[in-house]
Amino acid sequence: RAMVLLPLVLAAASGDSNASSALRWLQEGVFGAEWVITTTERPTETCTCPDPRRPDLPVIRGEDGFLKCYEPVCPLGSYRCCVDCKIAMCHGKLPLRTSIRGEDECITCFPGDFCQCDVYQKCPDRHISLIGASSDEDCTLCPVSMDPDPHGRKCIPEWRDSCRVERLLSCYHNCKIFGTAHPNSLEFWNGPFYCDVWKCTMACAKSQADFRPECAQAL
């Protein structure tokens, strides 16, 4: 990375506008933009959102006694593209929503998750959620004898004990369908793509035939 950036940094510093543009393109499109932590002072005892880049640090209190709290920039039901890292793998690969500060940096929450304070969290075990869930209250517990489907969207008859779950999910997330449609869009889950999602899921289940032949039947 240094071999790529150093010549551009030096050229940009000398006033080369083309180098400046290339440097910004590399930063945002390849390495991920260096987002600024937004804080505000509040006369309260606790902050609503922890700082996602410094979750283990104590809350900072200013000289006036006010708390310096992290303020999320993404709307509820979405999370910030790579909020806690410097290399944004999601940037340029997923549809991004505009944040309150005008940056395209927010990703709609996936089924099976809920998103708030610029981060996503998995619903509790055996719970499902719809796309864009914004609270753990949006997660629904599946009834007895039912499991969340592999996509975290619906409750279906028990299947997890019949499959190697992690292997199936890894196979599913590598489906080629994701190359042409994005799973964090309503069009994806409500349209014809959803049929292709299940075709891929079943292909992954059948790939376990040698060691878990009951997996495909369960699904």
Side-chain angles (χ1 to χ4, degrees), residues 44 94 117 168 188:
T44 59
L94 291 172
C117 295
L168 183 138
F188 183 91

Side-chain angles (χ1 to χ4, degrees), residues 158-198:
E158 290 179 328
W159 62 274
R160 290 187 170 189
D161 290 341
S162 301
C163 302
R164 290 188 181 177
V165 178
E166 292 302 321
R167 182 164 180 163
L168 183 138
L169 294 179
S170 177
C171 172
Y172 158 71
H173 286 300
N174 284 300
C175 286
K176 290 184 178 180
I177 181 67
F178 295 143
T180 56
H182 296 288
N184 63 338
S185 65
L186 288 173
E187 177 187 9
F188 183 91
W189 292 105
N190 295 331
F193 289 122
Y194 189 51
C195 181
D196 291 330
V197 169
W198 268 106

Side-chain angles (χ1 to χ4, degrees), residues 36-194:
V36 176
I37 293 298
T38 305
T39 61
T40 188
E41 295 189 349
R42 291 184 176 182
T44 59
E45 291 303 316
T46 59
C47 291
T48 303
C49 294
D51 188 330
R53 284 193 167 182
R54 302 178 296 181
D56 299 327
L57 292 182
V59 174
I60 301 174
R61 190 178 293 275
E63 294 181 359
D64 54 7
F66 283 23
L67 295 180
K68 293 184 179 297
C69 296
Y70 175 83
E71 291 295 328
V73 298
C74 291
L76 287 173
S78 66
Y79 65 98
R80 200 164 157 200
C81 173
C82 206
V83 67
D84 57 353
C85 59
K86 293 182 179 180
I87 300 177
M89 300 302 292
C90 49
H91 197 81
K93 295 183 179 180
L94 291 172
L96 298 176
R97 297 167 59 182
T98 303
S99 67
I100 60 173
R101 58 183 183 167
E103 296 280 359
D104 291 334
E105 56 183 328
C106 303
I107 301 173
T108 301
C109 209
F110 283 76
D113 300 339
F114 65 95
C115 301
Q116 55 184 219
C117 295
D118 285 354
V119 297
Y120 73 89
Q121 300 179 62
K122 289 290 183 186
C123 286
D125 188 43
R126 299 192 63 250
H127 285 66
I128 60 170
S129 69
L130 297 178
I131 183 174
S134 60
S135 165
D136 57 356
E137 296 181 356
D138 294 329
C139 300
T140 303
L141 176 64
C142 287
V144 176
S145 76
M146 301 191 80
D147 286 330
D149 68 18
H151 324 121
R153 184 173 182 258
K154 293 182 178 181
C155 295
I156 61 176
E158 290 179 328
W159 62 274
R160 290 187 170 189
D161 290 341
S162 301
C163 302
R164 290 188 181 177
V165 178
E166 292 302 321
R167 182 164 180 163
L168 183 138
L169 294 179
S170 177
C171 172
Y172 158 71
H173 286 300
N174 284 300
C175 286
K176 290 184 178 180
I177 181 67
F178 295 143
T180 56
H182 296 288
N184 63 338
S185 65
L186 288 173
E187 177 187 9
F188 183 91
W189 292 105
N190 295 331
F193 289 122
Y194 189 51

